[in-house]
Amino acid sequence: MSEASLTGAEARERDLIAEIDSLSNQLCQAVDGQFEFHVHTDSDEIALQKMAQLNNFVLDSVRRTIRDLKASRDELESRVQERTQRLNLVLTATNDGVWEWDIDSGQLMLSQRWSSMLGLPHDEGRRGLDDWLGLIHEDDRADVQRSLYQHLDGLTASVTVEYRIRDARGAWRMVLCRGLCQRNERGVAIRMAGTQTDTTEQRLGDPMTLLPNGAYLELLLQESLLRSPLPPLALVKFQLLNVASLFDGIAVDDAIGALRRLVQRMRQQLPPRVALIALPEHTFAMVFETDEVARLDEALEPLEALLAQPVEIDGQQVWLSHVSGVAVLDPAEPVSVDEWRHQSRLALANARLSDVGSRRYYSESLRQWERQSSRAEQLIRGALATNGVRCFVQPIVDSSTGEVRGFEALMRLHDPTEGIVAPVSFIEVAERSGLIAPLWEMLMEQALPLLRDDIVRERFGGDFLLSVNLSTRQLMDPGLLDDMIAASRRHGVPLTRLQIEVTETSVLSDPIKAFRSLDRIREAGIRVALDDFGSGYSSLAQLTSMPMDTVKIDRELVMNVASLPRKRHVLSAVVALCQRLDYGIVVEGVEERETLEILHDWGATDIQGYIYSRPLPLDRLVQDFRPPKPYLAGLSPVSRARGTSLPAP
Ligand code: G
Ligand code: G
Ligand code: MN
């Protein structure tokens, strides 16, 4: 058909179709998601223009709606972002790790902090619940599982469980896990999420020193025993003996600060992989990988060197005293954790009995010692229950006049099977087990009446002293003086007739506190004697600074001096020194007449020894002991004043 042949109606129809097609083509953009356009038509047809117009209305409205939606989406997004930031802030502030467990898939998502808390690399890859449980300490794992599943089953309102978890270094950390389920409309748990908080410091840390504590040591020992192959390991315990009293009278905060600084310095002296662990009573534990004494010596040398230096506490230079005990674990014959700790405790307890600074290694013989100690404790408890304390006395005699200057009260225990038991078998145990005070009170109850006994007065005069031994613990007991005052009042005895005897060892364990105690005792009128001088650990420095009246020279320095010239020189020097320092002198262990004569020549005339009397049961004193005659004829009477004369050359 040619153009010309078209009728008017046909041509109009064709134009309309073309216009409609053009409109549809324009609208195709909307089908493609594009709404930013206007539909237009060139047609004069009212209907088509109306349709284009309407389309534009629709497009406008769609555009507006989209804009609104976008705006609210942006707002929502920024709100979510803000919330996420706030949540992250909170989580960072609490330092908590976050976990999320998808119940259906079993997948576990862990936050960066969750991993870094344990020093683990943060892998984005998802893990399963078992990866988590596998890190948990064997003894805690069942607890954690139970806690999760009970909450899952709706038996608990939430998950709260604390457990030990292994970090990347293989050390244990304590963590607290809290969690909550999300459930669907039917109440079925679909997801559980929560936090993991590091509570190691609270639980495995010592709040005072900020070091790991005894619970941590327990874990460490358990772990060590699981090592394969098991290396030789040495558990070392150090105890600082005088720290408590150094902190006496210092503000708590200052004391804690000083202790923390000290502990920091101690830590720095240890090899890098050895942890310093704080135990009660200023004791510290360490585990070394060696069974050789020489290597242990080497490893501990810097620490011991530090402790041998004065440290500054509250602006003052003070000296610390320490002892240590070691229990070596033999890989060929490993023992249990409990046994291992017990061995180290025994070694340390035994070291405490020796000189300051000493170190003891656990051995079978300490078991024997432990058995004896426990037998001694039974003996003491028996004696306390049955009034089995016996007071023996030994006179101290002035060799030049024969006058009795005093009596030393010496404790014995009466045991139904063993008879009379000497102090060597029980004093140390009594001291350690806290039983010395009741024993001593029983002794005093028997000894104090001696000072008021009429027959004793008549025979020995009314001036002699009653001298009693005090152990370390008693000396450090703040109630000691009050007890002595009360006892002497009860018996109507003036304090000036009492003398206490203390040893250097008991003073040395904590000189500051001991000196303070001795000062108060002397101010009350009681005399103080330094006992056993010259035996074992003697420090001449002590002689100048200790508050005391009298030095009792130990029999070790005295026995056989008559036949041993070199020993005589030492004794002579000690006597001269004490005289120069204006101390009274009592010489112990004098058994021979020649010794007595030598001492007399030097002006050392107060004598306690078998030459005059052995220790006697109190009730036999009057019967068995008479004051000796004055110094024997032929020798000039002693004219030298006591305590001021110089020894003869
Ligand atoms: O008497 P004998 O030699 O067994 O005494 C040995 C030691 O026991 C003495 O050196 C003395 O220090 C100690 N001793 C004796 N009696 C007592 C006492 O009542 N208390 C204390 N602490 N020690 C005592
Ligand atoms: O507390 P002290 O250690 O000072 O006790 C003295 C102890 O020394 C007494 O228990 C007593 O048994 C003992 N002793 C006292 N005089 C002599 C002595 O002359 N020779 C010996 N070997 N021991 C003595
Ligand atoms: Mn004594």
Side-chain angles (χ1 to χ4, degrees):
M1 252 194 310
S2 69
E3 187 82 9
S5 65
L6 287 175
T7 62
E10 278 170 338
R12 197 165 164 255
E13 186 185 352
R14 194 198 53 193
D15 287 347
L16 273 177
I17 289 171
E19 275 302 323
I20 291 171
D21 192 37
S22 144
L23 283 174
S24 326
N25 283 343
Q26 291 180 61
L27 283 170
C28 274
Q29 297 182 64
V31 175
D32 290 341
Q34 231 289 69
F35 304 98
E36 300 287 335
F37 65 96
H38 279 99
V39 179
H40 61 92
T41 175
D42 298 331
S43 166
D44 299 333
E45 272 306 324
I46 295 294
L48 283 178
Q49 284 178 4
K50 197 170 145 192
M51 188 166 128
Q53 215 57 105
L54 281 172
N55 267 313
N56 285 334
F57 277 135
V58 171
L59 282 170
D60 272 345
S61 140
V62 169
R63 269 198 301 274
R64 254 196 319 275
T65 310
I66 286 177
R67 210 177 307 125
D68 288 354
L69 280 174
K70 229 187 191 153
S72 54
R73 189 193 66 193
D74 285 352
E75 195 195 321
L76 266 180
E77 243 173 23
S78 78
R79 261 200 275 169
V80 167
Q81 210 168 16
E82 192 196 315
R83 287 206 176 194
T84 312
Q85 274 173 355
R86 264 194 280 169
L87 185 62
N88 280 342
L89 192 66
V90 172
L91 289 173
T92 315
T94 57
N95 238 345
D96 288 349
V98 178
W99 55 270
E100 190 182 328
W101 176 31
D102 186 90
I103 314 280
D104 264 349
S105 69
Q107 279 185 337
L108 189 69
M109 275 170 293
L110 302 170
S111 73
Q112 168 108 36
R113 173 66 193 142
W114 197 101
S115 310
S116 69
M117 188 184 284
L118 302 176
L120 298 168
H122 182 62
D123 53 39
E124 294 291 331
R126 299 176 170 209
R127 312 180 201 203
L129 191 64
D130 284 347
D131 296 323
W132 176 12
L133 294 174
L135 296 173
I136 295 173
H137 192 285
E138 205 177 36
D139 295 350
D140 299 342
R141 203 174 295 146
D143 254 4
V144 177
Q145 272 169 316
R146 192 175 325 116
S147 182
L148 290 176
Y149 285 105
Q150 281 184 342
H151 178 54
L152 212 58
D153 295 342
L155 298 173
T156 50
S158 65
V159 173
T160 308
V161 61
E162 202 165 8
Y163 49 89
R164 292 160 286 185
I165 191 163
R166 191 198 301 277
D167 71 12
R169 285 180 19 248
W172 291 107
R173 304 204 68 83
M174 197 80 178
V175 291
L176 173 68
C177 170
R178 280 183 282 225
L180 212 55
C181 263
Q182 190 188 349
R183 298 175 192 277
N184 64 15
E185 356 25 277
R186 285 174 291 124
V188 177
I190 50 174
R191 179 177 301 121
M192 201 192 287
T195 55
Q196 179 164 281
T197 314
D198 192 334
T199 53
T200 310
E201 252 164 45
Q202 287 110 291
R203 300 281 184 249
L204 298 181
D206 173 52
M208 194 78 122
T209 56
L210 304 181
L211 294 175
N213 65 13
Y216 182 85
L217 177 64
E218 173 85 25
L219 285 173
L220 182 66
L221 298 182
Q222 281 175 3
E223 280 305 292
S224 308
L225 283 176
L226 292 177
R227 285 173 65 177
S228 171
L230 188 60
L233 295 167
L235 170 58
V236 179
K237 283 189 186 164
F238 255 79
Q239 185 168 26
L240 301 180
L241 299 172
N242 58 344
V243 171
S245 71
L246 290 178
F247 290 157
D248 260 9
I250 299 181
V252 176
D253 285 348
D254 293 344
I256 292 179
L259 183 64
R260 286 184 183 165
R261 278 193 299 281
L262 172 65
V263 161
Q264 278 315 312
R265 292 186 58 198
M266 285 170 69
R267 274 183 64 187
Q268 286 159 10
Q269 312 308 318
L270 294 175
R273 290 191 65 86
V274 175
L276 186 66
I277 296 164
L279 302 175
E281 303 191 325
H282 300 110
T283 302
F284 300 89
M286 291 149 272
V287 177
F288 289 90
E289 205 176 310
T290 180
D291 59 354
E292 287 170 46
V293 174
R295 280 197 48 207
L296 204 57
D297 272 341
E298 210 176 289
L300 288 171
E301 197 181 305
L303 181 62
E304 301 206 304
L306 169 75
L307 295 178
Q309 300 283 320
V311 295
E312 195 179 301
I313 291 179
D314 197 30
Q316 284 199 342
Q317 298 284 313
V318 296
W319 300 87
L320 294 170
S321 50
H322 74 272
V323 290
S324 56
V326 182
V328 172
L329 184 85
D330 178 0
E333 277 180 85
V335 295
S336 69
V337 167
D338 283 347
E339 169 64 19
W340 196 7
R341 266 189 320 187
H342 184 71
Q343 292 181 356
S344 70
R345 204 179 312 131
L346 275 182
L348 185 67
N350 194 258
R352 272 198 300 268
L353 304 181
S354 345
D355 296 340
V356 162
S358 62
R359 186 183 322 148
R360 282 277 173 283
Y361 286 80
Y362 171 79
S363 71
E364 271 305 305
S365 66
L366 286 190
R367 273 291 180 221
Q368 174 76 9
W369 170 71
E370 188 190 23
R371 270 193 294 275
Q372 278 168 357
S373 300
S374 98
R375 218 175 306 141
E377 188 173 334
Q378 293 310 308
L379 180 79
I380 296 164
R381 291 194 185 276
L384 284 172
T386 60
N387 229 345
V389 176
R390 298 278 181 278
C391 179
F392 277 53
V393 286
Q394 188 180 27
I396 299 162
V397 174
D398 180 338
S399 64
S400 59
T401 61
E403 186 191 334
V404 172
R405 312 264 303 154
F407 289 99
E408 177 175 359
L410 293 157
M411 195 187 298
R412 306 283 185 268
L413 294 186
H414 178 259
D415 180 72
T417 49
E418 293 181 43
I420 292 293
V421 184
V424 278
S425 328
F426 65 85
I427 286 290
E428 169 231 305
V429 174
E431 155 98 337
R432 238 183 323 132
S433 54
L435 295 170
I436 191 80
L439 283 181
W440 191 76
E441 273 162 30
M442 284 193 172
L443 184 81
M444 291 297 276
E445 284 307 302
Q446 295 171 38
L448 283 169
L450 185 74
L451 293 168
R452 291 190 43 123
D453 187 294
D454 287 336
I455 303 171
V456 171
R457 257 178 112 81
E458 197 182 307
R459 180 162 308 166
F460 307 113
D463 292 333
F464 67 84
L465 294 176
L466 175 67
S467 196
V468 292
N469 297 283
L470 281 188
S471 69
T472 314
R473 190 191 273 249
Q474 289 176 290
L475 184 62
M476 302 304 172
D477 179 356
L480 169 75
L481 183 57
D482 290 341
D483 290 349
M484 289 185 77
I485 292 173
S488 61
R489 282 226 182 99
R490 222 170 27 245
H491 291 275
V493 170
L495 291 173
T496 46
R497 290 194 66 195
L498 297 181
Q499 172 169 279
I500 58 158
E501 301 188 10
V502 294
T503 62
E504 279 174 294
T505 334
S506 65
V507 170
L508 271 183
S509 72
D510 192 345
I512 296 175
K513 195 169 176 186
F515 286 6
R516 222 182 287 152
S517 174
L518 292 177
D519 276 332
R520 288 179 53 223
I521 287 167
R522 291 181 78 215
E523 277 160 24
I526 300 170
R527 308 258 188 117
V528 171
L530 176 60
D531 204 3
D532 300 342
F533 186 78
S535 76
Y537 197 91
S538 284
S539 139
L540 291 177
Q542 215 67 272
L543 276 184
T544 62
S545 52
M546 183 169 146
M548 61 170 171
D549 305 279
T550 298
V551 176
K552 294 190 77 175
I553 300 175
D554 192 74
R555 60 173 180 266
E556 234 177 72
L557 274 188
V558 179
M559 308 278 273
N560 306 316
V561 279
S563 56
L564 299 169
R566 296 178 69 82
K567 197 167 176 180
R568 202 157 58 236
H569 286 313
V570 174
L571 181 60
S572 135
V574 168
V575 167
L577 194 61
C578 293
Q579 288 169 336
R580 279 263 170 111
L581 292 170
D582 253 345
Y583 293 128
I585 301 171
V586 173
V587 186
E588 296 190 299
V590 180
E591 297 185 1
E592 300 162 336
R593 212 194 127 83
E594 278 167 296
T595 308
L596 193 70
E597 283 170 10
I598 291 167
L599 288 163
H600 187 271
D601 278 349
W602 294 341
T605 51
D606 282 358
I607 304 296
Q608 180 179 353
Y610 290 177
I611 192 162
Y612 289 122
S613 171
R614 290 180 174 258
L616 298 167
L618 193 60
D619 53 10
R620 297 193 59 92
L621 174 64
V622 174
Q623 202 175 321
D624 291 357
F625 177 68
R626 274 157 209 288
K629 296 195 181 70
Y631 200 66
L632 292 173
L635 284 168
S636 59
V638 175
S639 53
R640 291 174 278 215
R642 201 184 340 273
T644 51
S645 60
L646 293 173

